[in-house]
Every structure is written in C-alpha cells, then in structure tokens.
Amino acid sequence: RATVRLKPSKGERVRKRPFTLAELRLIYQTAPDDFWRYMVLGGFYTSQRMGDLLCLTWDAVDFDANVLSFTTSKTERDVKIPLRPSFRALLWKLRTQAGTVAAGAPIWPEQAAAYQARGSGRFSNEFYESILMPCGLVPPRTHHARKDTKKSSAERKVSPISFHSLRHAHISLLKATGGSQAVAKELAGHSSDAINDHYTHLPIETLVTAINQLPEVIARYEPVSPASANPSRNRGKQNHPGDLQAADQ
C-alpha cells in the first residue's frame, strides 16, 4: 500500500533548539511587563504551550497545595505541576492585584480573549520583536520589505528559537539535572512514546523534586518561606511575599 507523505509545514522544517540558562535569564530580564514575565517563567517552569498559559484560569492555581492543575488543550491530558517558588510568587502578586475574581476567570482576560479569537500569532510576534530581538538572539524581521521576488521568498527563514524553545529548555534542563524521561513527559503533558503513558501518573513528590532541581531563571530571586507565601494567611498585608525580589532591577 502506498504511503502518503504529508508536506511539512515551514515551522516543522526548522528544528527548534532549547534556550540556554544564560539566554533564559537574559530573556526574563528583557521581558517588558508582568504579562511577559509570567509567560517566560510559566513557559520554562511548567513546560506548557503558549495557548494553555494564555488561557489559564485562576481555579487551576492551588496556592495551598502549591500546584497547577488543568487539562492541556492539545493532548487533553490532565496535568498537575508543582509551582516553582519564583513562579508562585509572581502568580500570588498577580492574584493580589486582581482583587475579587470568579474562580474560572482567566489570569489574563484580554490576552485569553485575543488568543481564542485570533490564535497565537500576535503573541508569537510580540515575543520575537519585543524580547528576542532586544536580547540580540534573533535578527530583525524583514516582513515589511518587498516579498514579490523569488530571492526574498527563498531566503525567508524560520528562526530555530521561539516561545516554544522555553518548553524545549524545560525538558532539556530537567533531564540534565537528573529528571527521567517519565518525569519529563508527565510535566510536559506528553502522551506519546508508549500507550500506557496515558494511564501512568507519577507521585507529586517526584515532580516537586524535579521542578526544584531546575536552575533559577531570576538570578537574584530570594525565596520566601511557604507559610509567608500562603495567600490565605496573608490577606490584607501590604508587603506581599509575591513581590519579586530584585526581579526588575
């Protein structure tokens, strides 16, 4: 029987690479606002795709259990991801700033609505032009130039790094710091390689250990104790532990 070969998309023809730790720290420092700091920390420490982070709702964040719990949109896999202290701190900061919100409200309502209406293009372009370009990691885009010649069409290239490289970095550094293939797949929400993966779930303690082995993206981050970072015990205090220590300096 003949095999039908599907033509790969432009993105599939370019192998994405992970960010290095130095690049991750530079990217975080270059992030222009809390939205992009959330996306960078979330992309690296949870290994989740852009769309899932954009549409994440507050009821997925359990500060008491210190985990994110939700179903991934692409693989429809239920994931439970331990919160890295620096990412948890930023989420707590955002939660206290948000005030009273419905449990199922998106963390980023405007961005979630934009993604659901028009997809990820706007955010992928913004990540490229507002973060990767200022970091010097990618060349300026020439999409405003003429594209009606064969030369310009042939020379157009897809960058080997993008927002998805945060996911690659998570998995690569997770394995480099001792995490197993099973741990990497559980955290990333993968469901391929073996049919029984869909039915295999690792203890949360194993996942916590793996997340804590990852390097710190915020070079000068000062962790706070779990008790002082608990939202239910700190309501009404002015100095919230969610404030990133020296993150914006």
Side-chain angles (χ1 to χ4, degrees):
R1 196 166 92 181
T3 300
V4 178
R5 292 184 177 274
L6 298 177
K7 183 179 179 180
S9 68
K10 184 166 64 173
E12 292 173 331
R13 292 197 293 269
V14 176
R15 185 178 180 84
K16 296 294 183 183
R17 70 164 178 84
F19 292 120
T20 66
L21 178 57
E23 288 172 339
L24 286 168
R25 288 177 172 169
L26 179 60
I27 286 168
Y28 180 82
Q29 291 168 5
T30 307
D33 51 32
D34 275 345
F35 168 70
W36 279 111
R37 284 186 276 273
Y38 159 87
M39 292 296 288
V40 171
L41 290 183
F44 177 57
Y45 284 127
T46 74
S47 185
Q48 296 308 301
R49 296 176 175 87
M50 177 178 279
D52 286 328
L53 289 171
L54 286 167
C55 298
L56 197 68
T57 56
W58 282 117
D59 57 356
V61 184
D62 188 334
F63 286 106
D64 291 325
N66 199 42
V67 295
L68 290 180
S69 301
F70 62 99
T71 302
T72 61
S73 58
K74 183 174 182 178
T75 62
E76 298 184 343
R77 184 178 174 90
D78 293 333
V79 294
K80 183 172 287 189
I81 304 172
L83 288 171
R84 176 75 174 210
S86 52
F87 185 46
R88 173 187 171 146
L90 178 56
L91 285 170
W92 171 228
K93 174 184 176 182
L94 297 172
R95 182 65 187 84
T96 58
Q97 290 175 343
T100 302
V101 294
I107 296 175
W108 299 97
E110 185 272 327
Q111 289 85 347
Y115 172 81
Q116 291 168 343
R118 295 179 291 279
S120 63
R122 160 193 161 184
F123 302 100
S124 295
N125 290 336
E126 190 173 333
F127 183 72
Y128 188 103
E129 295 176 359
S130 299
I131 298 178
L132 296 183
M133 278 175 51
C135 286
L137 298 177
V138 294
R141 279 179 168 165
T142 58
H143 53 277
H144 296 300
R146 288 172 57 85
K147 297 181 180 179
D148 56 353
T149 66
K150 291 183 178 180
K151 181 177 180 181
S152 64
S153 177
E155 290 182 351
R156 261 177 262 149
K157 296 180 180 179
V158 176
S159 173
I161 56 175
S162 67
F163 186 85
H164 202 69
S165 294
L166 292 167
R167 183 172 169 87
H168 284 263
H170 172 97
I171 295 171
S172 297
L173 289 172
L174 194 71
K175 292 180 179 179
T177 53
S180 67
Q181 174 75 358
V183 168
K185 290 178 63 180
E186 182 81 6
L187 290 170
H190 286 152
S191 58
S192 57
D193 288 356
I195 192 167
N196 68 341
D197 285 346
H198 184 70
Y199 304 97
T200 302
H201 295 279
L202 298 175
I204 190 67
E205 294 81 8
T206 301
L207 304 182
V208 169
T209 299
I211 290 293
N212 286 339
Q213 290 296 324
L214 289 170
E216 184 55 63
V217 172
I218 308 174
R220 297 173 58 191
Y221 173 74
E222 298 175 8
V224 295
S225 67
S228 64
N230 190 326
S232 63
R233 301 174 188 173
N234 289 277
R235 298 194 185 282
K237 293 185 179 181
Q238 293 183 347
N239 296 323
H240 294 291
D243 292 337
L244 296 182
Q245 303 296 321
D248 302 328
Q249 296 181 8

